[in-house]
């Protein structure tokens, strides 16, 4: 359902309004869930996702798209990433994306059009010292080409989706200050603040 490290214990709701099947994951991983640098809570739920089935390249896959209620939370367009935002990236072939802050903390992502895969690297994302299992790169097949990526950035998480639902990746991050800079090579980013 998700190729990130932090998509676990998913609860699904069948026969939601309009016959939708909605999934709600917990964003963590038992490799380090009790050691994450947070107080009074152990992570949060991920975004609700509408599930579906799609056949692509002769293979049937489970699709996952952020529920329309998430899109309804879009605020105004902004020029730089904010603490809670959605970044839509229209890609043209292979694309490299770097989210960073003034402290030099960063998350790098790469969509490789030829290999048909998406990668997210959080080894320099902020505090990664609490567990040897935390600093890593995750990889997902994209089951064909991606034309648009949707990235949801929150205080301590990044959820990446192919706009058609063929790929989802959820990873926790613990930067010392919000990522407020984005660089995209091979695509164009549009950033929306998310309503609180």
């Amino acid at each position: 359902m998700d190729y990130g490290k932090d998509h676990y214990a998913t609860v699904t709701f069948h026969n939601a309004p309009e016959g939708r099947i909605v999934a709600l994951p917990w964003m963590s991983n038992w490799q380090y869930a009790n050691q994450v640098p947070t107080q009074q809570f152990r992570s949060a739920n991920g975004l609700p996702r509408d599930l579906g089935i799609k056949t692509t390249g002769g293979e049937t896959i489970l699709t996952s798209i952020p529920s329309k209620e998430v899109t309804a939370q879009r605020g105004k367009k902004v020029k730089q990433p904010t603490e809670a935002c959605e970044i839509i990236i229209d890609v043209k072939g292979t694309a490299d994306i770097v989210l960073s802050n003034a402290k030099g903390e960063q998350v790098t992502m790469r969509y490789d059009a030829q290999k048909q895969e998406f990668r997210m690297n959080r080894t320099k994302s902020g505090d990664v010292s609490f567990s040897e299992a935390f600093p890593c790169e995750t990889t997902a097949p994209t089951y064909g080409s991606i034309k648009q990526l949707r990235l949801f950035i929150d205080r301590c998480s990044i959820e990446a989706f192919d706009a058609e639902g063929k790929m989802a990746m959820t990873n926790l991050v613990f930067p010392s200050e919000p990522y407020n800079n984005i660089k995209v090579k091979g695509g164009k980013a549009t950033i929306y603040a998310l309503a609180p």
Side-chain angles (χ1 to χ4, degrees):
M1 292 179 75
D2 189 290
Y3 287 87
K5 290 279 283 186
D6 301 299
H7 181 278
Y8 184 71
T10 302
V11 176
T12 56
F13 300 88
H14 189 262
N15 291 331
E18 302 165 24
R20 294 153 57 203
I21 300 171
V22 179
L24 194 64
W26 176 56
M27 282 195 296
S28 199
N29 185 318
W30 282 117
Q31 288 181 307
Y32 43 74
N34 290 321
Q35 291 138 1
V36 292
T38 60
Q39 294 179 353
Q40 300 176 341
F41 74 101
R42 289 290 179 245
S43 299
N45 287 109
L47 294 172
R49 304 136 191 249
D50 286 8
L51 303 181
I53 298 285
K54 182 174 190 164
T55 301
T56 178
E59 190 170 351
T60 301
I61 61 169
L62 178 72
T63 60
S64 179
I65 297 174
S67 297
K68 64 182 181 178
E69 291 82 359
V70 174
T71 304
Q73 296 303 307
R74 272 187 196 159
K76 62 182 179 179
K77 282 186 187 180
V78 292
K79 293 185 178 182
Q80 294 179 307
T82 58
E83 192 170 64
C85 63
E86 178 184 2
I87 303 172
I88 297 175
I89 301 173
D90 294 308
V91 297
K92 299 171 185 172
T94 295
D96 291 295
I97 303 145
V98 180
L99 278 172
S100 62
N101 62 24
K103 303 267 180 155
E105 298 164 338
Q106 65 178 21
V107 176
T108 60
M109 291 165 263
R110 179 177 177 83
Y111 163 58
D112 189 317
Q114 186 174 1
K115 292 182 180 178
Q116 295 186 3
E117 70 180 20
F118 178 79
R119 295 177 172 269
M120 187 185 303
N121 187 317
R122 67 177 180 192
T123 57
K124 298 177 183 176
S125 59
D127 186 355
V128 298
S129 64
F130 55 88
S131 168
E132 290 181 4
F134 192 81
C136 67
E137 180 177 70
T138 51
T139 305
T142 61
Y143 299 102
S145 64
I146 288 181
K147 295 182 178 86
Q148 189 178 80
L149 281 166
R150 296 178 70 188
L151 306 177
F152 292 86
I153 316 301
D154 204 349
R155 183 173 294 184
C156 61
S157 65
I158 299 174
E159 295 177 77
F161 297 88
D162 162 36
E164 295 178 15
K166 296 179 294 182
M167 181 278 302
M169 183 179 286
T170 301
N171 284 315
L172 291 175
V173 289
F174 297 100
S176 56
E177 62 182 49
Y179 304 121
N180 59 1
N181 186 40
I182 185 169
K183 290 182 182 174
V184 179
K185 181 181 176 185
K188 182 181 177 187
T190 305
I191 308 169
Y192 295 94
L194 291 176

